[in-house]
Amino acid sequence: MSSDPSTTLDRTGLSPPAFPKIRVRGLGKRFQVGKAWVEAIKAIDLDVQAGEFICIVGPSGCGKTTLLRILADLEAPTEGEVTIEQSDPSNPLSSMIFQESSILPWMSIRRNVAYGLELRGVPAAEIDKSVDRFLALTGLDRFADAYPHQLSGGMKQRASVARAFANNPEILLMDEPFAALDEQNKALLQEELLRIWSETRKTVIFITHSIDEALVLGDRVIVMSRRPGRLKTEFKIDFPRPRRVYDLKANPEFGRIGREIWTLLREEVVGP
Amino acid sequence: MTVQARSLVQITAPRQTGPTLLDRMRRSSLLMAILAPLAILIVWECLTRVGLLDQRFFPAPSSIIVSLFALVESGRVFIDAAWTIGRMLVGFVFGAVPGIVFGIMLGLSPTVRAFLQPVIAALYPVPKIALFPLIMMIFGIGEASKWAIVAIAVFFQVFYSTLAGVVNIDRIYLDVASNFKATRWQLCRTIAIPGALPFIFTGCQLGIGMALVIVVIAENFGTQVGLGYLIWQSWQVFEVRDMFVYLLMVSLLGYGSQMAILRLQRAVIPWKKDDAG
């Protein structure tokens, strides 16, 4: 990837102290649908500091996932550039947690969580240590040897979270990972994610269509416009951590910011 | 104010009674499975006894059983069965392995697919046994030509199933591999092969069935051993009772090989939700 001069995703070894973990400049992506060109995202500028938890909310079809897939190097942008600062060259740049179940059905939960580390040829003892840690953190230690079909949807997403964190990437990219879960599982997993994140202090970009979820999780919430997706407004979220989902929802400030974001989003969904 | 209920619907658990003999018989799948063949044999026996079936072509099952015991006692049929099994297996391996390899290569790479699929698709409709004279010219009339014709037939079955298996792998798993920076070989090993395995086994089941068909025909040429040879031989000497015994053995061989692959499949694919059948 870095050897290909045409790609705009750079790895920068050295960085001035003020340099952000992720810097996005003028990012755009056009798709060809039949004969027409569709702009998925347009002119996106974004700086993310190391250890920050960023939530991006936007109307459906606004190009949120496209932005994330470009950051994950699963798709190439048509314009602009992404720079990700790599603090440790032996670590992978990013791991993604997908919306639908992406746990490999033919591997036990343990091997799923170890997947990234195994592909990189990490020594077995080190893999075991890391996998055990994240299985315990996600409450999956009892199911380590189960196959995914024996687990519920919530358990599978827990395994996805464990797999992404165990891989020890520079940044974590999450594409509505809890969207398919029921309310109770969603709240539980949000709290678990926050706990793991506070232990590891990874940089996270989390995409969601749920304003509540964004407010519960993020240090900053960025609102995207409808297609072509641009970053519209950003909110700094100062709720103290550790956060508990339902304590936070009882906070009047939570409701106030939530309504403000909804007013913005509403314009994007139904038009002004 | 009281509201009078017009009617009450009561649902009660049915009275618990032990299973009757008929219930138990219905539940025994083995019993149900042998019932129909047994009925056919009895009808067949009766029809030959009363002269409605021509004994020259359809000898009474009781007389076939007598031949069966005679042939089993001589032991010769087992050696012949072993030859047939050997030819099937060698041909199967030589066909299935390239079938899986090519299926995965074409499945993963649209370029390779565009390059090779037309050739394979053009060869596929040729009836495999029609190639046998050519195969015998190339490989001689010995064992090699039998292995080759079986391998060709097995290849197409396994190849097309594997290809379908790889192409049908959920895209999300390819994204996962790509996000975790899997190399080409890692992609094969951790995604393509396990993902396509259920299809590969279906291909192997079709393939082993095809292998038996082909080997029985091929054993008519250039050999003095094998169940296929014995069937053709009993045709030449008009020994119909023996022929039925050999046919029975071929059918058992077909059933047994299918079962073996099913067993293997269950051992190799522990993550499948349910094993039907």
Side-chain angles (χ1 to χ4, degrees), chain A residues 106-169:
Chain A
W106 44 84
M107 288 182 189
S108 67
I109 295 303
R110 165 171 289 280
R111 286 212 49 220
N112 260 294
V113 175
Y115 188 60
L117 299 169
E118 271 181 14
L119 291 189
R120 295 215 309 278
V122 173
E126 214 175 301
I127 294 181
D128 282 346
K129 215 180 107 197
S130 176
V131 169
D132 284 338
R133 178 180 166 212
F134 286 103
L135 283 175
L137 276 172
T138 46
L140 286 171
D141 26 8
R142 284 190 303 127
F143 304 99
D145 297 316
Y147 280 97
H149 74 84
Q150 299 166 295
L151 267 58
S152 67
M155 291 290 197
K156 281 186 234 179
Q157 277 316 63
R158 280 192 172 86
S160 283
V161 172
R163 179 175 67 185
F165 274 97
N167 196 34
N168 197 23

Side-chain angles (χ1 to χ4, degrees), chain B:
Chain B
M1 188 173 89
T2 50
V3 176
Q4 202 87 45
R6 282 267 170 85
S7 63
L8 291 170
V9 179
Q10 202 171 20
I11 297 169
T12 48
R15 212 152 38 87
Q16 291 294 315
T17 51
T20 63
L21 183 67
L22 202 68
D23 284 338
R24 260 181 281 158
M25 276 171 63
R26 263 196 224 121
R27 265 177 231 156
S28 161
S29 55
L30 181 69
L31 188 72
M32 294 309 281
I34 58 171
L35 226 49
L38 205 66
I40 292 171
L41 286 179
I42 291 168
V43 172
W44 178 357
E45 182 79 35
C46 296
L47 289 178
T48 48
R49 289 285 167 95
V50 298
L52 278 171
L53 265 179
D54 192 334
Q55 288 256 18
R56 287 173 305 170
F57 309 124
F58 301 99
S62 54
S63 68
I64 295 172
I65 290 169
V66 174
S67 303
L68 173 70
F69 279 113
L71 287 168
V72 166
E73 217 169 342
S74 77
R76 159 109 209 242
V77 281
F78 295 114
I79 297 165
D80 286 279
W83 273 93
T84 302
I85 293 170
R87 287 165 180 152
M88 267 174 82
L89 284 184
V90 173
F92 179 79
V93 170
F94 277 109
V97 172
I100 293 170
V101 171
F102 275 86
I104 286 172
M105 276 187 351
L106 269 71
L108 283 181
S109 163
T111 318
V112 179
R113 189 153 69 235
F115 180 64
L116 285 180
Q117 198 167 17
V119 183
I120 297 174
L123 292 174
Y124 177 58
V126 178
K128 303 307 163 285
I129 203 65
L131 294 172
F132 197 42
L134 179 65
I135 298 289
M136 283 195 291
M137 281 187 219
I138 299 168
F139 292 99
I141 57 167
E143 292 304 301
S145 58
K146 290 172 188 62
W147 296 336
I149 193 71
V150 171
I152 289 169
V154 170
F155 171 83
F156 284 98
Q157 301 287 347
V158 175
F159 165 76
Y160 273 113
S161 293
T162 306
L163 179 61
V166 176
V167 170
N168 278 305
I169 290 175
D170 205 331
R171 265 214 64 84
I172 187 88
Y173 302 132
L174 303 178
D175 279 347
V176 169
S178 163
N179 185 235
F180 284 105
K181 304 286 172 226
T183 62
R184 203 107 192 114
W185 166 239
Q186 286 173 330
L187 178 70
C188 266
R189 192 169 53 80
T190 63
I191 309 286
I193 295 176
L197 216 47
F199 279 75
I200 292 175
F201 270 104
T202 306
C204 286
Q205 267 191 318
L206 296 171
I208 201 94
M210 191 59 102
L212 185 63
V213 172
I214 297 291
V215 83
V216 166
I217 301 173
E219 279 176 340
N220 189 26
F221 304 94
T223 182
Q224 305 281 315
V225 285
L227 292 175
Y229 164 75
L230 291 176
I231 290 172
W232 293 109
Q233 179 67 19
S234 43
W235 167 68
Q236 279 178 343
V237 300
F238 214 79
E239 189 51 76
V240 184
R241 278 183 198 85
D242 288 359
M243 191 191 281
F244 271 97
V245 173
Y246 303 139
L247 286 172
L248 177 71
M249 293 194 67
V250 167
S251 117
L252 284 178
L253 186 53
Y255 183 73
S257 54
Q258 297 285 343
M259 283 298 120
I261 288 188
L262 216 59
R263 279 284 168 84
L264 190 66
Q265 177 172 11
R266 283 182 193 167
V268 174
I269 311 187
W271 62 83
K272 272 275 284 270
K273 238 171 256 173
D274 27 44
D275 299 331

